[in-house]
Amino acid sequence: MTPTSAGTIPGLDQAPTTHQPLLDWVRETAALTTPERVVWCDGSREEWQTLTDQLVEAGTFVRLSQKPNSFWCVSDPDDVARVEDRSFICSKNEADAGPTNNWMDPLDMTIVMTEHYRGCMAGRTLYVIPFCMGPLTAENPQLGVQLTDSPYVVVSMHIMTRMGSKALTLFGDGTDTAAEFVRCLHSVGAPLKPGQEDVPWPCATTKYITHFPEDRMIWSYGSGYGGNALLGKKCYALRIASVIARDEGWLAEHMLILKLTSPAGKVHYIAAAFPSSCGKTNLAMLEPSIPGWKAETLGDDIAWMRFGDDGRLYATNPEAGFFGVAPGTGWKTNPNAMRTLYRGNSIYTNVALTDDGDVWWEGYSDAPPDHLTTWTRDDWTLTTDYARGRLAAHPNSRYCTPIAQCPIAAPEWNDPQGVPISAIFFGGRRATTIPLVVESRDWQHGVFLGATLSSETTAAATGQVGVVRRDPMAMLPFVGYHVGDYLQHWLDTGDHAHATQLPKIFYVNWFRRAGNNGGDGRFLWPGFSENSRVLKWAIDRLDGTATATETPIGLVPTPEALDLNGLDTPPDDVQAALTVDPDEWRAEIPLIEQWLATIGDKLPHALLDELEDLQHRLA
Ligand code: GDP
Ligand code: PGA
Ligand code: MN
Ligand code: MN
C-alpha cells in the first residue's frame, strides 16, 4: 500500500492512541480506501445513540416501538448468510490450508484484494474499532482492531465484543512492549460517487472473506452479513484463533458453554459443538423441564479452552453477545432468549416487521399478526401468505443482543479464568441413523465421533439446504489450517502433559425423524427444554449413577436410565430416537470412509483404528 494524501482525511489525526503500528495501519488503509472521514470508536452510549440515529435516518434501521432501544433491519437479498465458497485461508503453503479450505497464495490474494479495496470507501466513513475477544481482565487479552466502512458493523460490534476505549487502553502506548493485535479490515465494497444516493444495505456482488493466518490478519470485502463482517466472531475467534490455539496448545471451538446445577447443588459445566443452525443458542439458554435442575449460560457459539493448573480444561467465551437464529425462537421453545430480547438493546436482521413496530418471525408466536412487512419489504397477510406458507422472515434471520441482559447469564460468564468443562457434546441435524445420545468409550473414540460428525446443511451458509455433509467438530467452515492437523491436535489434547481430568465426550442428535417406516417426518424427540433429560443422563454418567448399554457405536442409555417422568412424547418415538440400527450404520460406513479419505496423508492413524473397530462391531 502506498500512502497518498491520507493526511488530509478528517478525523485521521484525532487518534486517541499513540500506538504507532496501529496509527500506521489506519493511515495506510485510509490512503488506499479513500474514505470521506475517519472515526475512532469509543464504544460509548453516545456513539451507539449517534450511529443508530444515523442508521434510522439512512433507512437502514427502523426503530421498534415495542422493544426498547431496538432496531429492525433488512439486508440485500443476496447478503443473508456466510459465504463459505468465498472464504479463503491464505497460508503461505497451500498444504497448510488442507483439503477443506479454499486457498490462494497470500501475495496473489493481496494483489487482487488491494485492487478491490482501492477507493472502496469513497463517500463513506472509516470506523476504527479496537476490540478485545474475551474478558478485558484476562492476563493475556486477545486484541483486535476492525477497520470498517459499515456503521451496522460498528453497532453490532458494540453488542458482540468488548470494544472502544476500554479495549484500546489494553493496547499500550505503541513502544516495543505494545500488545499484538489481529488486523481486521472490512469493507462493504460499495463506494459512493459524489452526490450518489446510498442504499439501505450497501454490499458488493463479489465477496471475499480472507484470512492470512501467519500474519494474524483478516481481509473481508463485499458483505455486511454478521458471519462475514463482524470479524471478531468467525474470522478471528475461530479461523485465526484455531491456528493460534494449535501453536500454543489450546482449543478454539464452535461451542456453547452451559452451567448445570443438579437438585443436590452439584455444578457441572458443559460445552457443545453443533453446526450453524443446529441448536447451540437454544441449548445455551435451556430451561430444564426436569424439576430441580438449573441451567445458566456462559456462551452460545464459541469456546476457547485451555488447561488450568489443576489439569482440567477451562472454557471462556470470547464474545459478549448472542447472534442468534430468529425463526423457531418463541416463548415455548426458548423463553430465556425472549426475555433477553424483551429487555431491548438489540438489532434484528431479516425478520419481519409488524404494523405496530415490533418484530415477528416464524415460531415467534402461535398467532401471527394479520399483516406484516417481510424481510424483503413486501406486504404479507395472514389470510393469503400465511395460508400459502410464504415465510415472512428469512430462515437465517438473526437477533443480536447482549449476553449481560440474559436472565440466566451465569455470574462467571465474564470471568477470565473460565470454567472447568466436565463434558463435551458433539451433535448435528440428522433425520436418520444417529441416535438421541451416545457416550464415547474414551477420549480417542470421542474424537472419532467428533471427527465424523455429520449434519444436514442449513440456511446459515449460502448453498443448498438439507444436504448431509461431514462437519468435524462442527468446525468444517472454521478450521484455519489443515483438518488432518486439527484432528491430530484434538487427539494430542487427550495426551496433554497437564491433563488430569479430561471431559467425557458425548454425541447427540435432537433432529431424528419418523419417516423411514412410513412415518410422517415429525421429530421423534421433542427437543428444547426436554433436552435437559439427555444432559441429566450424561451428568449421571459422569457421576457414575446412570446405566448404559454397549452398542457398536458407543454407549446409549438403558431404557430406565433416561428420566422420562412427565414427558408426553409417545414412548415408541423415544425408543426410535434412541435406536442404533446396524443396517443404517452399515450404510453410514462408506460415507465415513469417503470423508476420512479426503483428509489424505494427514489423517491420524488413531481415527482409522477407530473406524476399523466400528466396522468389527457392526460385522
Ligand atoms: P445454532 O445456530 O447452533 O445456535 O442453533 P439455534 O439454537 O439457533 O437453533 C437453530 C434452529 O434449530 C432454530 O430454528 C431452533 O428453533 C431449532 N432448534 C434448536 N434446538 C432444537 C431442538 O432441540 N429440537 C428441534 N426440533 N429444533 C431445535
Ligand atoms: P450459529 O452462528 O452457529 O449460531 O448459526 C452463526 C454461524 O455459525 O454462522
Ligand atoms: Mn456459529
Ligand atoms: Mn447460535
PDB file of all heavy atoms in Angstrom, residues 519-551:
ATOM      1  N   GLY A 519     -43.436 -43.164   8.459  1.00  0.00           N
ATOM      2  CA  GLY A 519     -43.811 -42.117   9.407  1.00  0.00           C
ATOM      3  C   GLY A 519     -44.087 -40.811   8.686  1.00  0.00           C
ATOM      4  O   GLY A 519     -43.977 -40.710   7.469  1.00  0.00           O
ATOM      5  N   ASP A 520     -44.416 -39.791   9.468  1.00  0.00           N
ATOM      6  CA  ASP A 520     -44.840 -38.532   8.852  1.00  0.00           C
ATOM      7  C   ASP A 520     -43.740 -37.480   8.837  1.00  0.00           C
ATOM      8  O   ASP A 520     -43.998 -36.316   8.521  1.00  0.00           O
ATOM      9  CB  ASP A 520     -46.062 -37.999   9.607  1.00  0.00           C
ATOM     10  CG  ASP A 520     -45.741 -37.738  11.078  1.00  0.00           C
ATOM     11  OD1 ASP A 520     -44.582 -37.991  11.484  1.00  0.00           O
ATOM     12  OD2 ASP A 520     -46.634 -37.297  11.802  1.00  0.00           O
ATOM     13  N   GLY A 521     -42.539 -37.860   9.196  1.00  0.00           N
ATOM     14  CA  GLY A 521     -41.438 -36.908   9.163  1.00  0.00           C
ATOM     15  C   GLY A 521     -41.332 -36.039  10.395  1.00  0.00           C
ATOM     16  O   GLY A 521     -40.488 -35.157  10.468  1.00  0.00           O
ATOM     17  N   ARG A 522     -42.183 -36.277  11.399  1.00  0.00           N
ATOM     18  CA  ARG A 522     -42.103 -35.475  12.634  1.00  0.00           C
ATOM     19  C   ARG A 522     -40.794 -35.773  13.359  1.00  0.00           C
ATOM     20  O   ARG A 522     -40.195 -36.841  13.183  1.00  0.00           O
ATOM     21  CB  ARG A 522     -43.289 -35.806  13.553  1.00  0.00           C
ATOM     22  CG  ARG A 522     -43.214 -37.202  14.148  1.00  0.00           C
ATOM     23  CD  ARG A 522     -44.402 -37.575  15.016  1.00  0.00           C
ATOM     24  NE  ARG A 522     -44.263 -38.945  15.513  1.00  0.00           N
ATOM     25  CZ  ARG A 522     -44.559 -40.032  14.810  1.00  0.00           C
ATOM     26  NH1 ARG A 522     -45.015 -39.932  13.576  1.00  0.00           N
ATOM     27  NH2 ARG A 522     -44.388 -41.244  15.326  1.00  0.00           N
ATOM     28  N   PHE A 523     -40.359 -34.811  14.197  1.00  0.00           N
ATOM     29  CA  PHE A 523     -39.206 -35.078  15.046  1.00  0.00           C
ATOM     30  C   PHE A 523     -39.598 -36.117  16.092  1.00  0.00           C
ATOM     31  O   PHE A 523     -40.660 -36.019  16.709  1.00  0.00           O
ATOM     32  CB  PHE A 523     -38.733 -33.798  15.740  1.00  0.00           C
ATOM     33  CG  PHE A 523     -38.079 -32.813  14.801  1.00  0.00           C
ATOM     34  CD1 PHE A 523     -38.626 -31.546  14.608  1.00  0.00           C
ATOM     35  CD2 PHE A 523     -36.917 -33.151  14.113  1.00  0.00           C
ATOM     36  CE1 PHE A 523     -38.023 -30.637  13.740  1.00  0.00           C
ATOM     37  CE2 PHE A 523     -36.308 -32.246  13.245  1.00  0.00           C
ATOM     38  CZ  PHE A 523     -36.867 -30.991  13.055  1.00  0.00           C
ATOM     39  N   LEU A 524     -38.732 -37.112  16.290  1.00  0.00           N
ATOM     40  CA  LEU A 524     -39.029 -38.167  17.257  1.00  0.00           C
ATOM     41  C   LEU A 524     -38.850 -37.687  18.688  1.00  0.00           C
ATOM     42  O   LEU A 524     -39.471 -38.209  19.608  1.00  0.00           O
ATOM     43  CB  LEU A 524     -38.114 -39.375  17.000  1.00  0.00           C
ATOM     44  CG  LEU A 524     -38.389 -40.139  15.708  1.00  0.00           C
ATOM     45  CD1 LEU A 524     -37.220 -41.077  15.391  1.00  0.00           C
ATOM     46  CD2 LEU A 524     -39.696 -40.921  15.829  1.00  0.00           C
ATOM     47  N   TRP A 525     -37.984 -36.691  18.847  1.00  0.00           N
ATOM     48  CA  TRP A 525     -37.665 -36.196  20.186  1.00  0.00           C
ATOM     49  C   TRP A 525     -38.148 -34.746  20.275  1.00  0.00           C
ATOM     50  O   TRP A 525     -37.926 -33.970  19.339  1.00  0.00           O
ATOM     51  CB  TRP A 525     -36.150 -36.279  20.419  1.00  0.00           C
ATOM     52  CG  TRP A 525     -35.695 -35.756  21.744  1.00  0.00           C
ATOM     53  CD1 TRP A 525     -34.989 -34.614  21.967  1.00  0.00           C
ATOM     54  CD2 TRP A 525     -35.898 -36.347  23.031  1.00  0.00           C
ATOM     55  NE1 TRP A 525     -34.736 -34.447  23.301  1.00  0.00           N
ATOM     56  CE2 TRP A 525     -35.289 -35.506  23.996  1.00  0.00           C
ATOM     57  CE3 TRP A 525     -36.555 -37.512  23.472  1.00  0.00           C
ATOM     58  CZ2 TRP A 525     -35.307 -35.779  25.360  1.00  0.00           C
ATOM     59  CZ3 TRP A 525     -36.558 -37.787  24.845  1.00  0.00           C
ATOM     60  CH2 TRP A 525     -35.935 -36.927  25.766  1.00  0.00           C
ATOM     61  N   PRO A 526     -38.806 -34.355  21.371  1.00  0.00           N
ATOM     62  CA  PRO A 526     -39.387 -33.015  21.431  1.00  0.00           C
ATOM     63  C   PRO A 526     -38.358 -31.878  21.509  1.00  0.00           C
ATOM     64  O   PRO A 526     -38.678 -30.731  21.185  1.00  0.00           O
ATOM     65  CB  PRO A 526     -40.246 -33.066  22.693  1.00  0.00           C
ATOM     66  CG  PRO A 526     -39.683 -34.184  23.512  1.00  0.00           C
ATOM     67  CD  PRO A 526     -39.146 -35.175  22.550  1.00  0.00           C
ATOM     68  N   GLY A 527     -37.164 -32.183  21.941  1.00  0.00           N
ATOM     69  CA  GLY A 527     -36.111 -31.170  21.925  1.00  0.00           C
ATOM     70  C   GLY A 527     -36.278 -30.076  22.967  1.00  0.00           C
ATOM     71  O   GLY A 527     -37.009 -30.222  23.954  1.00  0.00           O
ATOM     72  N   PHE A 528     -35.559 -28.971  22.737  1.00  0.00           N
ATOM     73  CA  PHE A 528     -35.614 -27.766  23.578  1.00  0.00           C
ATOM     74  C   PHE A 528     -35.492 -28.131  25.062  1.00  0.00           C
ATOM     75  O   PHE A 528     -34.536 -28.815  25.422  1.00  0.00           O
ATOM     76  CB  PHE A 528     -36.866 -26.950  23.237  1.00  0.00           C
ATOM     77  CG  PHE A 528     -36.891 -26.549  21.780  1.00  0.00           C
ATOM     78  CD1 PHE A 528     -37.737 -27.184  20.859  1.00  0.00           C
ATOM     79  CD2 PHE A 528     -36.021 -25.561  21.300  1.00  0.00           C
ATOM     80  CE1 PHE A 528     -37.726 -26.833  19.508  1.00  0.00           C
ATOM     81  CE2 PHE A 528     -36.008 -25.211  19.947  1.00  0.00           C
ATOM     82  CZ  PHE A 528     -36.863 -25.846  19.063  1.00  0.00           C
ATOM     83  N   SER A 529     -36.471 -27.718  25.895  1.00  0.00           N
ATOM     84  CA  SER A 529     -36.314 -27.927  27.344  1.00  0.00           C
ATOM     85  C   SER A 529     -36.178 -29.409  27.693  1.00  0.00           C
ATOM     86  O   SER A 529     -35.555 -29.754  28.701  1.00  0.00           O
ATOM     87  CB  SER A 529     -37.489 -27.308  28.088  1.00  0.00           C
ATOM     88  OG  SER A 529     -38.683 -27.986  27.731  1.00  0.00           O
ATOM     89  N   GLU A 530     -36.734 -30.267  26.846  1.00  0.00           N
ATOM     90  CA  GLU A 530     -36.658 -31.708  27.131  1.00  0.00           C
ATOM     91  C   GLU A 530     -35.236 -32.243  26.936  1.00  0.00           C
ATOM     92  O   GLU A 530     -34.912 -33.336  27.402  1.00  0.00           O
ATOM     93  CB  GLU A 530     -37.648 -32.493  26.269  1.00  0.00           C
ATOM     94  CG  GLU A 530     -39.104 -32.038  26.375  1.00  0.00           C
ATOM     95  CD  GLU A 530     -39.711 -32.212  27.766  1.00  0.00           C
ATOM     96  OE1 GLU A 530     -39.002 -32.642  28.704  1.00  0.00           O
ATOM     97  OE2 GLU A 530     -40.915 -31.896  27.913  1.00  0.00           O
ATOM     98  N   ASN A 531     -34.397 -31.482  26.259  1.00  0.00           N
ATOM     99  CA  ASN A 531     -33.007 -31.921  26.106  1.00  0.00           C
ATOM    100  C   ASN A 531     -32.306 -32.025  27.464  1.00  0.00           C
ATOM    101  O   ASN A 531     -31.267 -32.679  27.588  1.00  0.00           O
ATOM    102  CB  ASN A 531     -32.240 -30.985  25.168  1.00  0.00           C
ATOM    103  CG  ASN A 531     -32.772 -31.050  23.740  1.00  0.00           C
ATOM    104  OD1 ASN A 531     -33.338 -32.083  23.333  1.00  0.00           O
ATOM    105  ND2 ASN A 531     -32.623 -29.980  22.982  1.00  0.00           N
ATOM    106  N   SER A 532     -32.881 -31.375  28.470  1.00  0.00           N
ATOM    107  CA  SER A 532     -32.313 -31.474  29.820  1.00  0.00           C
ATOM    108  C   SER A 532     -32.273 -32.927  30.304  1.00  0.00           C
ATOM    109  O   SER A 532     -31.427 -33.291  31.111  1.00  0.00           O
ATOM    110  CB  SER A 532     -33.131 -30.624  30.799  1.00  0.00           C
ATOM    111  OG  SER A 532     -34.495 -31.035  30.779  1.00  0.00           O
ATOM    112  N   ARG A 533     -33.177 -33.748  29.793  1.00  0.00           N
ATOM    113  CA  ARG A 533     -33.201 -35.164  30.203  1.00  0.00           C
ATOM    114  C   ARG A 533     -31.930 -35.873  29.731  1.00  0.00           C
ATOM    115  O   ARG A 533     -31.378 -36.722  30.425  1.00  0.00           O
ATOM    116  CB  ARG A 533     -34.436 -35.857  29.623  1.00  0.00           C
ATOM    117  CG  ARG A 533     -35.742 -35.244  30.124  1.00  0.00           C
ATOM    118  CD  ARG A 533     -36.956 -35.819  29.404  1.00  0.00           C
ATOM    119  NE  ARG A 533     -38.159 -35.066  29.723  1.00  0.00           N
ATOM    120  CZ  ARG A 533     -38.911 -35.284  30.807  1.00  0.00           C
ATOM    121  NH1 ARG A 533     -38.597 -36.257  31.650  1.00  0.00           N
ATOM    122  NH2 ARG A 533     -39.969 -34.546  31.043  1.00  0.00           N
ATOM    123  N   VAL A 534     -31.507 -35.514  28.533  1.00  0.00           N
ATOM    124  CA  VAL A 534     -30.295 -36.118  27.976  1.00  0.00           C
ATOM    125  C   VAL A 534     -29.066 -35.613  28.746  1.00  0.00           C
ATOM    126  O   VAL A 534     -28.154 -36.381  29.074  1.00  0.00           O
ATOM    127  CB  VAL A 534     -30.182 -35.782  26.471  1.00  0.00           C
ATOM    128  CG1 VAL A 534     -28.858 -36.260  25.909  1.00  0.00           C
ATOM    129  CG2 VAL A 534     -31.362 -36.393  25.710  1.00  0.00           C
ATOM    130  N   LEU A 535     -29.061 -34.317  29.067  1.00  0.00           N
ATOM    131  CA  LEU A 535     -27.934 -33.757  29.822  1.00  0.00           C
ATOM    132  C   LEU A 535     -27.864 -34.395  31.212  1.00  0.00           C
ATOM    133  O   LEU A 535     -26.786 -34.684  31.717  1.00  0.00           O
ATOM    134  CB  LEU A 535     -28.067 -32.234  29.938  1.00  0.00           C
ATOM    135  CG  LEU A 535     -28.109 -31.462  28.611  1.00  0.00           C
ATOM    136  CD1 LEU A 535     -28.110 -29.956  28.877  1.00  0.00           C
ATOM    137  CD2 LEU A 535     -26.924 -31.822  27.705  1.00  0.00           C
ATOM    138  N   LYS A 536     -29.026 -34.613  31.800  1.00  0.00           N
ATOM    139  CA  LYS A 536     -29.049 -35.231  33.128  1.00  0.00           C
ATOM    140  C   LYS A 536     -28.426 -36.632  33.073  1.00  0.00           C
ATOM    141  O   LYS A 536     -27.608 -36.994  33.924  1.00  0.00           O
ATOM    142  CB  LYS A 536     -30.496 -35.324  33.643  1.00  0.00           C
ATOM    143  CG  LYS A 536     -30.596 -35.994  34.999  1.00  0.00           C
ATOM    144  CD  LYS A 536     -32.040 -36.239  35.410  1.00  0.00           C
ATOM    145  CE  LYS A 536     -32.082 -37.045  36.708  1.00  0.00           C
ATOM    146  NZ  LYS A 536     -33.398 -37.616  36.948  1.00  0.00           N
ATOM    147  N   TRP A 537     -28.812 -37.396  32.047  1.00  0.00           N
ATOM    148  CA  TRP A 537     -28.237 -38.745  31.915  1.00  0.00           C
ATOM    149  C   TRP A 537     -26.707 -38.656  31.772  1.00  0.00           C
ATOM    150  O   TRP A 537     -25.973 -39.400  32.425  1.00  0.00           O
ATOM    151  CB  TRP A 537     -28.835 -39.471  30.702  1.00  0.00           C
ATOM    152  CG  TRP A 537     -28.209 -40.824  30.466  1.00  0.00           C
ATOM    153  CD1 TRP A 537     -28.437 -41.961  31.193  1.00  0.00           C
ATOM    154  CD2 TRP A 537     -27.238 -41.159  29.473  1.00  0.00           C
ATOM    155  NE1 TRP A 537     -27.671 -42.992  30.706  1.00  0.00           N
ATOM    156  CE2 TRP A 537     -26.922 -42.535  29.650  1.00  0.00           C
ATOM    157  CE3 TRP A 537     -26.599 -40.450  28.454  1.00  0.00           C
ATOM    158  CZ2 TRP A 537     -25.998 -43.201  28.843  1.00  0.00           C
ATOM    159  CZ3 TRP A 537     -25.684 -41.117  27.648  1.00  0.00           C
ATOM    160  CH2 TRP A 537     -25.391 -42.476  27.836  1.00  0.00           C
ATOM    161  N   ALA A 538     -26.257 -37.713  30.956  1.00  0.00           N
ATOM    162  CA  ALA A 538     -24.818 -37.570  30.727  1.00  0.00           C
ATOM    163  C   ALA A 538     -24.103 -37.228  32.042  1.00  0.00           C
ATOM    164  O   ALA A 538     -23.048 -37.785  32.355  1.00  0.00           O
ATOM    165  CB  ALA A 538     -24.562 -36.496  29.677  1.00  0.00           C
ATOM    166  N   ILE A 539     -24.693 -36.329  32.821  1.00  0.00           N
ATOM    167  CA  ILE A 539     -24.063 -35.941  34.079  1.00  0.00           C
ATOM    168  C   ILE A 539     -24.095 -37.092  35.083  1.00  0.00           C
ATOM    169  O   ILE A 539     -23.120 -37.341  35.793  1.00  0.00           O
ATOM    170  CB  ILE A 539     -24.726 -34.656  34.614  1.00  0.00           C
ATOM    171  CG1 ILE A 539     -24.167 -33.503  33.789  1.00  0.00           C
ATOM    172  CG2 ILE A 539     -24.468 -34.455  36.103  1.00  0.00           C
ATOM    173  CD1 ILE A 539     -24.826 -32.196  34.037  1.00  0.00           C
ATOM    174  N   ASP A 540     -25.195 -37.818  35.075  1.00  0.00           N
ATOM    175  CA  ASP A 540     -25.245 -39.005  35.937  1.00  0.00           C
ATOM    176  C   ASP A 540     -24.183 -40.025  35.511  1.00  0.00           C
ATOM    177  O   ASP A 540     -23.645 -40.752  36.351  1.00  0.00           O
ATOM    178  CB  ASP A 540     -26.647 -39.640  35.900  1.00  0.00           C
ATOM    179  CG  ASP A 540     -27.672 -38.797  36.649  1.00  0.00           C
ATOM    180  OD1 ASP A 540     -27.259 -37.874  37.388  1.00  0.00           O
ATOM    181  OD2 ASP A 540     -28.881 -39.059  36.497  1.00  0.00           O
ATOM    182  N   ARG A 541     -23.888 -40.084  34.252  1.00  0.00           N
ATOM    183  CA  ARG A 541     -22.816 -40.976  33.783  1.00  0.00           C
ATOM    184  C   ARG A 541     -21.468 -40.509  34.337  1.00  0.00           C
ATOM    185  O   ARG A 541     -20.647 -41.318  34.741  1.00  0.00           O
ATOM    186  CB  ARG A 541     -22.758 -41.009  32.252  1.00  0.00           C
ATOM    187  CG  ARG A 541     -23.916 -41.725  31.587  1.00  0.00           C
ATOM    188  CD  ARG A 541     -23.912 -43.218  31.868  1.00  0.00           C
ATOM    189  NE  ARG A 541     -22.730 -43.876  31.311  1.00  0.00           N
ATOM    190  CZ  ARG A 541     -22.308 -45.082  31.664  1.00  0.00           C
ATOM    191  NH1 ARG A 541     -22.946 -45.768  32.588  1.00  0.00           N
ATOM    192  NH2 ARG A 541     -21.226 -45.609  31.107  1.00  0.00           N
ATOM    193  N   LEU A 542     -21.252 -39.190  34.355  1.00  0.00           N
ATOM    194  CA  LEU A 542     -20.003 -38.662  34.918  1.00  0.00           C
ATOM    195  C   LEU A 542     -19.898 -39.043  36.384  1.00  0.00           C
ATOM    196  O   LEU A 542     -18.832 -39.380  36.889  1.00  0.00           O
ATOM    197  CB  LEU A 542     -19.959 -37.130  34.845  1.00  0.00           C
ATOM    198  CG  LEU A 542     -20.063 -36.452  33.483  1.00  0.00           C
ATOM    199  CD1 LEU A 542     -20.110 -34.936  33.660  1.00  0.00           C
ATOM    200  CD2 LEU A 542     -18.888 -36.833  32.607  1.00  0.00           C
ATOM    201  N   ASP A 543     -21.031 -38.952  37.050  1.00  0.00           N
ATOM    202  CA  ASP A 543     -21.050 -39.233  38.485  1.00  0.00           C
ATOM    203  C   ASP A 543     -21.180 -40.724  38.782  1.00  0.00           C
ATOM    204  O   ASP A 543     -21.217 -41.130  39.943  1.00  0.00           O
ATOM    205  CB  ASP A 543     -22.209 -38.464  39.152  1.00  0.00           C
ATOM    206  CG  ASP A 543     -21.985 -36.946  39.095  1.00  0.00           C
ATOM    207  OD1 ASP A 543     -20.828 -36.542  38.867  1.00  0.00           O
ATOM    208  OD2 ASP A 543     -22.951 -36.187  39.262  1.00  0.00           O
ATOM    209  N   GLY A 544     -21.298 -41.536  37.726  1.00  0.00           N
ATOM    210  CA  GLY A 544     -21.361 -42.991  37.908  1.00  0.00           C
ATOM    211  C   GLY A 544     -22.686 -43.492  38.446  1.00  0.00           C
ATOM    212  O   GLY A 544     -22.758 -44.577  39.029  1.00  0.00           O
ATOM    213  N   THR A 545     -23.772 -42.715  38.243  1.00  0.00           N
ATOM    214  CA  THR A 545     -25.054 -43.129  38.811  1.00  0.00           C
ATOM    215  C   THR A 545     -26.087 -43.511  37.758  1.00  0.00           C
ATOM    216  O   THR A 545     -27.242 -43.736  38.094  1.00  0.00           O
ATOM    217  CB  THR A 545     -25.644 -42.006  39.694  1.00  0.00           C
ATOM    218  OG1 THR A 545     -25.817 -40.847  38.881  1.00  0.00           O
ATOM    219  CG2 THR A 545     -24.728 -41.685  40.863  1.00  0.00           C
ATOM    220  N   ALA A 546     -25.713 -43.550  36.486  1.00  0.00           N
ATOM    221  CA  ALA A 546     -26.676 -43.951  35.448  1.00  0.00           C
ATOM    222  C   ALA A 546     -26.101 -45.113  34.651  1.00  0.00           C
ATOM    223  O   ALA A 546     -24.886 -45.230  34.496  1.00  0.00           O
ATOM    224  CB  ALA A 546     -26.984 -42.783  34.519  1.00  0.00           C
ATOM    225  N   THR A 547     -27.009 -45.934  34.142  1.00  0.00           N
ATOM    226  CA  THR A 547     -26.561 -47.114  33.402  1.00  0.00           C
ATOM    227  C   THR A 547     -26.587 -46.863  31.898  1.00  0.00           C
ATOM    228  O   THR A 547     -27.291 -45.974  31.414  1.00  0.00           O
ATOM    229  CB  THR A 547     -27.453 -48.329  33.728  1.00  0.00           C
ATOM    230  OG1 THR A 547     -28.818 -47.940  33.540  1.00  0.00           O
ATOM    231  CG2 THR A 547     -27.230 -48.791  35.145  1.00  0.00           C
ATOM    232  N   ALA A 548     -25.789 -47.661  31.188  1.00  0.00           N
ATOM    233  CA  ALA A 548     -25.698 -47.535  29.738  1.00  0.00           C
ATOM    234  C   ALA A 548     -25.519 -48.909  29.127  1.00  0.00           C
ATOM    235  O   ALA A 548     -25.064 -49.844  29.786  1.00  0.00           O
ATOM    236  CB  ALA A 548     -24.514 -46.649  29.367  1.00  0.00           C
ATOM    237  N   THR A 549     -25.898 -49.016  27.858  1.00  0.00           N
ATOM    238  CA  THR A 549     -25.732 -50.265  27.119  1.00  0.00           C
ATOM    239  C   THR A 549     -24.667 -50.071  26.052  1.00  0.00           C
ATOM    240  O   THR A 549     -24.667 -49.052  25.361  1.00  0.00           O
ATOM    241  CB  THR A 549     -27.049 -50.625  26.372  1.00  0.00           C
ATOM    242  OG1 THR A 549     -28.134 -50.429  27.277  1.00  0.00           O
ATOM    243  CG2 THR A 549     -27.025 -52.045  25.878  1.00  0.00           C
ATOM    244  N   GLU A 550     -23.809 -51.062  25.918  1.00  0.00           N
ATOM    245  CA  GLU A 550     -22.808 -51.055  24.844  1.00  0.00           C
ATOM    246  C   GLU A 550     -23.503 -51.279  23.507  1.00  0.00           C
ATOM    247  O   GLU A 550     -24.331 -52.180  23.388  1.00  0.00           O
ATOM    248  CB  GLU A 550     -21.822 -52.216  25.044  1.00  0.00           C
ATOM    249  CG  GLU A 550     -20.734 -51.959  26.032  1.00  0.00           C
ATOM    250  CD  GLU A 550     -19.501 -51.325  25.385  1.00  0.00           C
ATOM    251  OE1 GLU A 550     -19.543 -50.986  24.180  1.00  0.00           O
ATOM    252  OE2 GLU A 550     -18.504 -51.157  26.110  1.00  0.00           O
ATOM    253  N   THR A 551     -23.176 -50.476  22.524  1.00  0.00           N
ATOM    254  CA  THR A 551     -23.634 -50.725  21.156  1.00  0.00           C
ATOM    255  C   THR A 551     -22.400 -50.602  20.268  1.00  0.00           C
ATOM    256  O   THR A 551     -21.351 -50.140  20.726  1.00  0.00           O
ATOM    257  CB  THR A 551     -24.686 -49.695  20.684  1.00  0.00           C
ATOM    258  OG1 THR A 551     -24.010 -48.486  20.346  1.00  0.00           O
ATOM    259  CG2 THR A 551     -25.748 -49.438  21.754  1.00  0.00           C
TER     260      THR A 551
END
